Amino acid sequence: MPTENLLHPRRTTLDGFRVMRSGLVVALVVAAALVPQMTHNQYYLGVAFQAEMLMCLALGLNIVVGYAGMLDLGFAAFFAIGAYTTGILSTKDHWSILASIAPGVVIAVVSALIIGFPTLRLRSDYLAVVTLGFGEIIQTIAINLNQTGGPTGIYAIPALTFGSVVVESNTGYYYVFFVLVLVFAIFSTRLRGSRLGRAWLCIREDEDAAKAMGINTNHYKLYAYVFGAVLGSITGSLYAPALTAISPASFGFSESLLIVMAVAIGGLGSIWGVMFGAAVVEIFPEVFRSFAQARLLVFGVALVILMVLRPRGLFPERAFQVVGARIRRRFDRPQGSATLQLAGDVLVGPGDKT
Amino acid sequence: MTAVLETDHLSLQFGGVNALSDVSMQIGEGSLYAIIGPNGAGKTSFFNCLTGYYRPTSGAVRFQGSEVTGLDAAKVAGLGVRRTFQNIRVFPKMSVLENVLAGGHLRATSNLLSIVVASPGFRRTERQLHEEAMSSLEFVGLADQWNNLAGDLPYGMRKRMELARVLIADPVVVLLDEPAAGVSSVEREELSRVIQRIHDRGTCVVMIEHDVDLVMEIATQVTVLDNGRIIASGLPQDVRTNPDVIRAYMGRDRK
Ligand SMILES: Nc1ncnc2c1ncn2[C@@H]1O[C@H](COP(=O)(O)OP(=O)(O)O)[C@@H](O)[C@H]1O
Ligand SMILES: [Mg+2]
């Protein structure tokens, strides 16, 4: 552990750190926005927007698993609900894609309440089993109903339109999901900085103690589950037109597991971590396509190594702070008692641990 | 003196064990009430019954005159009955400041929309809550620790953080389960001062404490539990000289 702040050796830590971090955020967002300008390879663009889509799903699941600490192994169910609602309404009833988001969300919320209300009181391991079952049920329904197109699914889903603008290219969907990732990330950050986020973390850390704070733990667990469902369903509704065809195979246990992996690899509860984890989970197996049959094995080994080396994820959650500058100035001792972390490296102010 | 917190023939059984038998206690407004007794006497179980963590087998708990027996722990906390835990329970992966903010959960009233758009109203409520959390931390002498993870604090500081977390809720009654257990004598002095200051603010304090000297020094009233029963109750100096207490509690402790 470095004993002095390597980035600002002279200055004390907090504000310099914040400026640097904001700069980094802007640079990353701009770089991501320029991806379609850097390549016209449709395959790369396809992988890129699939990565964004997985980021959206991971941000949704992060509220459930990362914040509230409830293991949900059937998250793809909500993704499926959004995708199928939009698929059915847009092909059979000629709804616009945007309009079909709302009924998808409503169905997702109602199912989250029906599944969540009786089961969220259970301990986390039981919860994992129930959510796993729910994921399987939704996939089975999709395979067996006529309205959902059976095992072949739904095809010829119309394009997403905003007024007269029609989104058809991979580049177009890249930007649509780019905005969605931003919106979900900001939404998650806002929730995290409010009583909701704090209540979720308290439940994750110690549910009995959370009750002593006056937190109605059953309600807050249900809120987390419902918020996750909403984000999952919205992502599904936009996924349907992006691929133009959906089938039950895309919404099974393996998809749920992929989302859990994205959250766990990146770092439970950490928004940057979760987004990065999603990118890794999506892009890594593509990079190793040359290994052909063995690529999943290689991926699996890489994951095991990663989890041994960094059990809390690549970008573990930091202590959360949205504190007014006034408070910070008043209470941060000049030599800085704060321990700050960026990308897992601990940057410590001089004179730490007095 | 009117009772803030009152139990009426409270009994609690675990299988064949009588953790509490027929405990009736009146905790008056403005008192600094101490509950003492040997290990396993039922003190923590009594707190758990008062705060909705255990449901008593029979008997009643009343808070400010209305019955709260069997109410959910979160509801009881919401009424203004706040507690600490014997084996400290902090939220380790949250900062010290966030731990205290969590204690003020019910005072952060912003609705979802104002949270999501970060409305001026939301910002104002949060800023105010942050200020109050920092004052609570200052009150217990931990303001400079605000940005550290609670799980990284040494034992004594965690105990004080738990106090700050209770205080931000502006409670009516504070229940402290062995606040001075396991801390150094310096920390003990500090804790005793903090507890007295809480009492001086007009908050009713109930504490379980093994340290008889501490109890005799600051308590206004003492009840002694042994084997789930009240064996003595009264002013500290009276209880101290009570032969039953000497036999049951002091005697056994020395053995
Ligand atoms: N959850 C529980 N399950 C079973 N027995 C318990 C439980 N909680 C307390 N007891 C029993 O009740 C008695 C009183 O315990 P406790 O209230 O912790 O005593 P004290 O706090 O005075 O040391 C003990 O015999 C203990 O074993
Ligand atoms: Mg005890």
Side-chain angles (χ1 to χ4, degrees), chain B residues 43-44 86 177-178:
Chain B
K43 306 180 296 296
T44 299
Q86 182 173 352
D177 199 341
E178 305 201 9

